Amino acid sequence: MNILLLGSGGRESALAWKMRQSPLLDKLFIAPGNGGTGAYGTNVASLSPLDFEAIDRFVADNDIDMIVVGNEDPLVAGIRDNFAKCRPDLLIVGPCQTGAMLEGSKDFAKQFMMRHGIPTAAYRSFTADTLDEGLEFLASLKAPYVLKADGLAAGKGVLIIDNLEEARQALREMLGGMFGKSSATVVIEEFLSGIECSVFVLTDGHGGYRVLPVAKDYKRIGEGDTGLNTGGMGAISPVPFADDTFMEKVTKRIILPTVQGLIADGIDYRGFIFLGLINVGGEPMVIEYNVRMGDPETEAVMLRVDADLVDLMKAAAQGDLADKELRHNPQTAATVMMVSGGYPGDYKKGLPISGTENVTESTLFHAGTKLDAEGQLVTSGGRVIAVSSLADDIASAVAKSFASVEKISFPEAYYRRDIGRDLMK
Ligand code: AMP
Ligand code: GLY
């Protein structure tokens, strides 16, 4: 079959790499793609994942059978609903617009969890009209205070504040437009303390689902989880604390009520559900839902997926996952993200990257790279290349990735040297 994959990050590189291994795949197009995705298919740099008319023409011109949506924006914009009307035979991996609100609106996600009895932090939502109640509510809570912009805010919409006065000020500013329309509603919730992990579920909208390998990502820029939040600096899969006992609780208390709750609510959800979980004293609770795979978790998880990804996604999109097998490779995957100096603040672009051809022990998933007019590989984003390795344990997997990182160079490259360290204790 012919597939169009939408996106341009390390996640899409990993999805494309895995899809390329499938005997079911004929042509793969990646729009817009990056400096590495051309190795697995054809980049369509001019095609925007949000331009549904242009996508429609592309689908017709290239006999596309299935669209795989990498990032949330086209889903929140309603790509499934758009094509359900005009191209009912086109398969789409990703939920309908209402389903995408699990990520697009934190208030919607919270209401969904409450309705279906899914464990999550206690919360209340406020708007400018209920500012005074919000200020009072904050005073009734214990520090630290968790304030979340309701809408998409490029991963920056969550503030965790120790001091009550600062939290009250932040609430005023958020409701006053700190994140534009995204913070017109603010969710204030109970602070949960524990280690986080990411669980990915592929669901077919008819009660069939498969759980992918669990991963942990490293969000902060600095070692020891310090400094600003980033898109993700590395990932490890599996996660030792997410053992069978923990995962049984996750399945019973979170995955099943989520999959069944979507059906009960009449939401057409065929695609990946990303459960951002926190382990609170052995009990899993949901921090957030995303409606896509994680980045950089996908760059670790795909190394451990022992199945035909195209076959699985096709079955999910057709509503028929029940008979499909998805085994997990028992080895450990470690992903180390090489980023541009200055990221997540300002950074330079267009810097030449060298040495990738010398890497033999790891798999490279390009993120912010492109080929310039002369065909030279250069940086084009904050997160540049994800370096992923498989080995028998965390220590050996990260050691392999670090050794490969040392072979790649671009000016002012940075990476965290402590990926996985917290899980080795
Ligand atoms: P979110 O965008 O909802 O995933 O929030 C971003 C990050 O903020 C999460 O990955 C957590 O590290 C942290 N966070 C969010 N909600 C809470 C909470 N209720 N308690 C503690 N930390 C939280
Ligand atoms: N790694 C977290 C995310 O993709 O949102």
Side-chain angles (χ1 to χ4, degrees):
M1 62 195 304
N2 296 335
I3 299 181
L4 172 62
L5 168 65
L6 301 179
S8 63
R11 167 184 47 216
E12 286 73 32
S13 293
L15 290 172
W17 171 83
K18 190 68 190 170
M19 283 196 268
R20 190 71 269 169
Q21 296 166 16
S22 168
L24 297 175
L25 181 68
D26 295 315
K27 286 187 195 149
L28 175 64
F29 297 93
I30 308 101
N34 63 40
T37 49
Y40 319 115
T42 307
N43 283 345
V44 193
S46 59
L47 186 58
S48 157
L50 287 170
D51 186 345
F52 298 162
E53 275 178 37
I55 292 174
D56 187 54
R57 283 194 299 275
F58 190 86
V59 164
D61 292 347
N62 296 280
D63 291 325
I64 298 296
D65 302 296
M66 180 159 84
I67 297 183
V68 177
V69 186
N71 74 323
E72 64 277 12
D73 292 340
L75 297 166
V76 172
I79 188 166
R80 169 179 284 283
D81 313 63
N82 179 80
F83 286 109
K85 282 187 226 121
C86 60
R87 289 191 182 277
D89 294 335
L90 178 66
L91 297 176
I92 299 200
V93 182
C96 68
Q97 193 164 26
T98 311
M101 282 176 71
L102 283 181
E103 177 164 359
S105 164
K106 300 221 184 258
D107 182 59
F108 177 91
K110 281 293 196 181
Q111 290 192 33
F112 177 87
M113 288 186 265
M114 293 294 148
R115 196 158 55 241
H116 299 293
I118 295 164
T120 187
Y123 83 106
R124 281 181 62 188
S125 298
F126 301 93
T127 62
D129 289 340
T130 52
L131 170 64
D132 289 339
E133 288 162 49
L135 296 173
E136 269 174 50
F137 182 62
L138 278 172
S140 75
L141 297 174
K142 280 193 292 223
Y145 306 92
V146 182
L147 291 86
K148 302 186 173 185
D150 177 56
L152 296 180
K156 300 195 174 77
V158 176
L159 303 182
I160 298 182
I161 299 174
D162 285 323
N163 170 290
L164 177 60
E165 254 337 290
E166 285 172 23
R168 289 165 67 111
Q169 188 52 30
L171 178 63
R172 286 189 198 96
E173 286 173 20
M174 286 174 89
L175 291 173
M178 187 187 215
F179 300 103
K181 269 194 278 180
S182 289
S183 61
T185 297
V186 172
V187 170
I188 299 181
E189 67 178 40
E190 169 199 11
F191 179 83
L192 300 175
S193 182
I195 313 186
E196 288 170 63
C197 65
S198 308
V199 171
F200 303 99
V201 181
L202 180 63
T203 165
D204 68 3
H206 289 76
Y209 72 88
R210 290 292 175 270
V211 183
L212 285 91
V214 183
K216 178 178 190 292
D217 83 342
Y218 292 80
K219 289 199 169 88
R220 303 291 197 91
I221 187 72
E223 288 171 16
D225 291 327
T226 53
L228 294 175
N229 261 323
T230 69
M233 297 295 293
I236 299 289
S237 175
V239 180
F241 72 76
D243 55 12
D244 288 349
T245 311
F246 184 82
M247 287 310 292
E248 273 164 31
K249 292 178 187 173
V250 171
T251 301
K252 193 158 155 258
R253 299 177 194 170
I254 298 171
I255 297 177
L256 283 170
T258 298
V259 168
Q260 288 160 5
L262 288 164
I263 296 173
D265 290 353
I267 294 173
D268 186 4
Y269 203 118
R270 305 168 197 216
F272 294 102
I273 308 176
F274 171 152
L275 306 166
L277 304 183
I278 188 161
N279 176 356
V280 183
E283 309 304 322
M285 298 183 76
V286 178
I287 289 273
E288 65 167 347
Y289 284 111
N290 293 309
V291 298
R292 48 168 176 85
M293 289 295 293
D295 195 349
E297 290 96 323
T298 307
E299 293 94 302
V301 164
M302 284 303 142
L303 294 187
R304 299 192 54 235
V305 167
D306 183 5
D308 180 331
L309 183 65
V310 172
D311 192 35
L312 283 173
M313 292 194 298
K314 177 171 170 253
Q318 287 174 330
D320 189 17
L321 253 180
D323 306 327
K324 299 292 173 188
E325 236 189 316
L326 196 176
R327 279 200 292 266
H328 298 182
N329 178 327
Q331 284 188 296
T332 293
T335 298
V336 175
M337 189 63 82
M338 298 184 73
V339 306
S340 300
Y343 174 78
D346 291 339
Y347 53 84
K348 292 187 196 127
K349 289 185 187 177
L351 303 173
I353 303 168
S354 60
T356 53
E357 67 283 1
N358 300 326
V359 173
T360 51
E361 299 298 305
S362 305
T363 308
L364 301 184
F365 296 120
H366 289 232
T369 72
K370 66 172 194 184
L371 296 170
D372 71 9
E374 282 83 50
Q376 159 72 43
L377 187 69
V378 298
T379 65
S380 68
R383 293 191 290 174
V384 177
I385 294 185
V387 180
S388 297
S389 315
L390 268 182
D392 289 336
D393 53 40
I394 298 177
S396 333
V398 290
K400 255 188 184 179
S401 287
F402 290 143
S404 297
V405 163
E406 289 305 322
K407 296 183 176 172
I408 303 171
S409 61
F410 55 89
E412 297 171 46
Y414 169 77
Y415 64 97
R416 268 179 67 168
R417 288 158 206 265
D418 67 341
I419 301 302
R421 198 179 288 163
D422 57 329
L423 298 176
M424 289 190 262
K425 281 177 201 150

